Amino acid sequence: MGYEQEKINPYEKGVEKTQQVEKMFDNIAPTYDKLNHRLSWDIDRGWRKKAILQLKPYQPQTLLDIATGTGDFAILAAEMLHPTRLVGADISEGMMEIGRQKVKTKGFDAVISFEKEDCTALSYSDGTFDAVTAAFGIRNFADLDKGLSEMCRVLKPGGHLSIVELTTPVSFPMRQLFHIYSHTILPIYGRLISKDTSAYSYLTKTIEAFPQGERMVDILCKAGFKEASFKRLTFGICTMYFATK
């Protein structure tokens, strides 16, 4: 099954999307955290907390954070869930190197490690992790079905998946306001700070094209999860998903 966001590329045609996404995140890594928090007015921190709270009743000890980026979600999960092992996986070494520095500063380097992985072809054995998380990253997958199937595969039976992802609001007037914001302020400010002329226009397009709500729940079930649900946050600007293997 193909999805629209899989056809959207950051840069030149003729180069595999995974390579383009890796290059883009390496380019914007130094300014990524600053931009993320400013462009969301720091609301993204609260979204991450809500996604981690979905896992708290299950007390997962081994976690995999997919598309971990600079490790914000991984660090927060370590603080809130106290796992024995947490692996942050990403294709961008530039992003993860910043994450490694943050983890060392926070004193979590004995718990959190970072590993370069293609999220659509993970190197981990079946049933390795108690929980898998992903914050604002799965819409960049070159193949969403493969990525979600891999996340399901590496989970232990009965394990849980918690996802938080940017989405398009469905109701008036937030839908119209978000469209204006994401097509003007976000790409212009992104270009000024990151110096990457394509990255934030690309990210806007992926938000609009990404399957959301009930459609995403169906996709999760087809990927192998036996239960899946969603909850819209902040008028639908963000959506949380929770699934059980």
Side-chain angles (χ1 to χ4, degrees):
M1 186 185 295
Y3 304 104
E4 287 303 311
Q5 96 284 348
E6 293 170 6
K7 302 172 187 175
I8 300 168
N9 294 310
Y11 302 120
E12 65 273 17
K13 294 180 181 179
V15 178
E16 185 183 8
K17 178 168 182 172
T18 301
Q19 294 175 317
Q20 292 191 45
V21 171
E22 179 182 358
K23 177 184 174 183
M24 179 191 74
F25 281 110
D26 281 345
N27 286 347
I28 66 175
T31 57
Y32 181 79
D33 285 338
K34 180 180 179 181
L35 269 167
N36 240 16
H37 300 318
R38 283 192 181 179
L39 290 169
S40 71
W41 301 289
D42 273 343
I43 301 172
D44 62 302
R45 299 177 196 271
W47 295 336
R48 288 184 174 92
K49 283 184 179 179
K50 287 179 185 293
I52 292 167
L53 284 172
Q54 294 187 120
L55 294 171
K56 198 157 189 178
Y58 307 99
Q59 299 181 316
Q61 292 302 295
T62 54
L63 280 84
L64 173 65
D65 185 35
I66 290 285
T68 193
T70 61
D72 275 1
F73 198 85
I75 291 167
L76 193 59
E79 290 173 343
M80 293 176 65
L81 300 175
H82 312 293
T84 56
R85 179 191 178 211
L86 197 161
V87 178
D90 204 287
I91 57 170
S92 169
E93 279 290 356
M95 297 282 276
M96 289 191 292
E97 190 51 42
I98 292 170
R100 290 183 185 104
Q101 294 168 18
K102 289 181 353 189
V103 163
K104 189 173 182 181
T105 301
K106 289 274 189 178
F108 282 116
D109 40 334
V111 176
I112 301 173
S113 61
F114 291 89
E115 297 175 359
K116 185 171 182 177
E117 291 278 338
D118 177 352
C119 298
T120 62
L122 296 169
S123 65
Y124 311 109
S125 301
D126 295 2
T128 300
F129 299 98
D130 295 323
V132 175
T133 59
F136 316 118
I138 62 170
R139 71 181 190 279
N140 297 306
F141 285 0
D143 188 319
L144 181 60
D145 289 326
K146 279 186 181 178
L148 294 174
S149 294
E150 280 291 275
M151 292 158 87
C152 185
R153 179 184 67 77
V154 301
L155 269 175
K156 293 176 182 177
H160 299 94
L161 170 68
S162 183
I163 293 172
V164 60
E165 187 55 86
L166 294 171
T167 46
T168 305
V170 294
S171 302
F172 176 86
M174 282 305 299
R175 183 178 180 87
Q176 288 72 19
L177 291 171
F178 183 75
H179 180 85
I180 294 167
Y181 175 75
S182 62
H183 282 266
T184 54
I185 298 170
L186 193 153
I188 292 169
Y189 191 65
R191 282 196 295 271
L192 287 172
I193 301 297
S194 71
K195 310 303 181 186
D196 189 305
T197 58
S198 300
Y200 284 85
S201 294
Y202 158 80
L203 292 171
T204 294
K205 292 174 185 174
T206 60
I207 295 168
E208 293 177 340
F210 192 72
Q212 62 184 59
E214 292 86 352
R215 189 177 172 214
M216 184 62 178
V217 165
D218 288 342
I219 293 167
L220 285 164
C221 291
K222 287 174 184 174
F225 293 94
K226 63 182 181 183
E227 295 175 20
S229 60
F230 75 96
K231 182 178 181 180
R232 291 190 173 96
L233 305 175
T234 318
F235 307 104
I237 293 171
C238 178
T239 303
M240 281 195 315
Y241 299 93
F242 190 71
T244 305
K245 180 174 178 178

